[in-house]
């Protein structure tokens, strides 16, 4: 089988020495550049760090069942937008391989795996949870903004229960007025992963719909720097 093509990406370089990396996965139908621009509009500047490179990859276009099979830039297919149906695990696992290549690119650049964070908005956050908790349990952490896992994902994540290692911490944000990905779906995802041994937090935003807010991104930035602190410069080799 042909290797998946490398994902297109938009990159915000760190202001100083690069010692950690953050991968931000966009929502369905968006692009890496689109997610970067959205955050830039909210913050009035790029989300930039002194030592962390921020990578916004773009999902390849594929037929998307909730859009009657029309092509869309989505990380995986869904049978429907609901937490009460099976996950489209074949398309999820296929994209996990492409995103693993992205993680490996950072490792080849000298970044330790425990200095890499992954997360995203909506479908991007769901993709990040699958990627980290099923395949990359040694990442620094996971964030999921207005995201959910389907109820049957618990059986896909059961391997977590048998793992004695410390799992990546989950940082979740969700608006109570979200009409596309219900707040209760995010809440159930949080409880499910917590029951499997994940250290989780869920930040609730009253009256926020299916969108990002400045307060939310500022909270996320604080958590990112806590998980990926600046490293002291080495005085000698």
């Amino acid at each position: 089988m042909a290797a998946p093509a490398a994902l297109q990406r938009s990159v915000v370089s760190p202001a100083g020495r690069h010692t950690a990396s953050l991968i931000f996965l966009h929502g369905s139908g968006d692009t890496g550049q689109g997610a970067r621009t959205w955050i830039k509009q909210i913050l009035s500047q790029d989300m930039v760090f002194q030592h962390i490179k921020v990578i916004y990859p773009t999902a390849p276009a594929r037929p998307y069942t909730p859009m009657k099979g029309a092509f869309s830039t989505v990380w995986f297919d869904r049978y429907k937008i609901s937490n009460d149906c099976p996950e489209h695990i074949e398309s999820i696992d296929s994209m996990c391989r492409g995103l693993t290549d992205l993680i490996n690119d950072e490792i080849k650049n000298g970044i330790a795996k425990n200095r890499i964070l992954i997360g995203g908005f909506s479908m991007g956050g769901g993709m990040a949870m699958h990627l980290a908790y099923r395949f990359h349990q040694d990442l620094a952490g996971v964030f999921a903004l207005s995201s959910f896992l389907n109820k049957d994902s618990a059986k896909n994540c059961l391997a977590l229960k048998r793992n004695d290692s410390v799992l990546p911490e989950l940082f979740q944000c969700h608006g109570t007025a979200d009409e596309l990905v219900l707040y209760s779906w995010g809440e159930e995802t949080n409880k499910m992963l917590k029951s499997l041994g994940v250290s989780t937090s869920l930040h609730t935003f009253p009256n926020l719909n299916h969108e990002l807010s400045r307060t939310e991104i500022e909270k996320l930035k604080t958590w990112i720097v806590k998980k990926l602190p600046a490293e002291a410069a080495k005085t000698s080799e």
Side-chain angles (χ1 to χ4, degrees):
M1 192 176 77
L7 297 170
Q8 290 184 325
R9 60 200 81 171
S10 182
V11 175
V12 180
S13 297
R17 191 169 68 95
H18 176 207
T19 65
S21 294
L22 167 72
I23 299 169
F24 190 108
L25 305 179
H26 62 75
S28 61
D30 202 355
T31 62
Q33 184 62 48
R36 175 183 174 177
T37 301
W38 189 19
I39 288 172
K40 193 173 181 176
Q41 286 169 344
I42 293 168
L43 296 178
S44 302
Q45 62 177 36
D46 265 317
M47 183 165 68
V48 66
F49 300 91
Q50 188 65 27
H51 59 289
I52 304 167
K53 175 163 79 171
V54 185
I55 305 161
Y56 297 94
T58 294
R62 60 157 295 130
Y64 191 44
T65 301
M67 289 172 55
K68 299 187 167 72
F71 270 67
S72 186
T73 48
V74 290
W75 296 108
F76 52 89
D77 199 8
R78 292 190 187 283
Y79 296 107
K80 57 182 178 176
I81 300 173
S82 165
N83 74 336
D84 205 12
C85 67
E87 296 271 22
H88 196 289
I89 207 73
E90 183 186 347
S91 60
I92 292 170
D93 287 0
S94 172
M95 187 48 62
C96 281
R97 291 191 286 275
L99 289 166
T100 293
D101 290 343
L102 188 57
I103 291 168
N104 288 338
D105 284 348
E106 293 309 293
I107 294 167
K108 284 173 197 160
N109 286 332
I111 304 303
K113 201 164 172 192
N114 64 3
R115 297 279 294 164
I116 300 172
L117 271 178
I118 190 158
F121 174 74
S122 193
M123 175 184 267
M127 184 75 241
M129 289 186 280
H130 274 283
L131 184 70
Y133 293 120
R134 293 178 48 226
F135 298 104
H136 295 284
Q137 297 177 4
D138 43 358
L139 289 168
V142 184
F143 61 93
L145 315 174
S146 308
S147 306
F148 73 103
L149 290 174
N150 290 13
K151 288 178 180 176
D152 80 332
S153 292
K155 69 174 184 285
N156 297 318
C157 295
L158 278 178
L160 300 187
K161 274 223 171 251
R162 297 192 290 271
N163 194 324
D164 293 332
S165 64
V166 177
L167 297 160
E169 183 184 328
L170 174 65
F171 176 95
Q172 245 182 305
C173 295
H174 216 117
T176 59
D178 196 327
E179 293 174 354
L180 183 68
V181 176
L182 302 184
Y183 177 80
S184 61
W185 298 359
E187 212 172 25
E188 285 172 24
T189 296
N190 192 280
K191 286 175 184 166
M192 177 182 75
L193 287 171
K194 189 173 272 187
S195 75
L196 294 171
V198 177
S199 171
T200 69
S201 60
L202 175 57
H203 303 269
T204 302
F205 292 82
N207 305 317
L208 185 69
N209 208 311
H210 194 64
E211 58 194 336
L212 296 172
S213 75
R214 187 181 184 113
T215 312
E216 178 183 17
I217 296 171
E218 294 292 359
K219 259 187 199 285
L220 173 64
K221 284 177 68 180
T222 301
W223 179 79
I224 288 166
V225 174
K226 188 182 95 181
K227 299 306 293 182
L228 299 174
E231 291 182 333
K234 292 173 184 166
T235 51
S236 61
E237 290 301 320

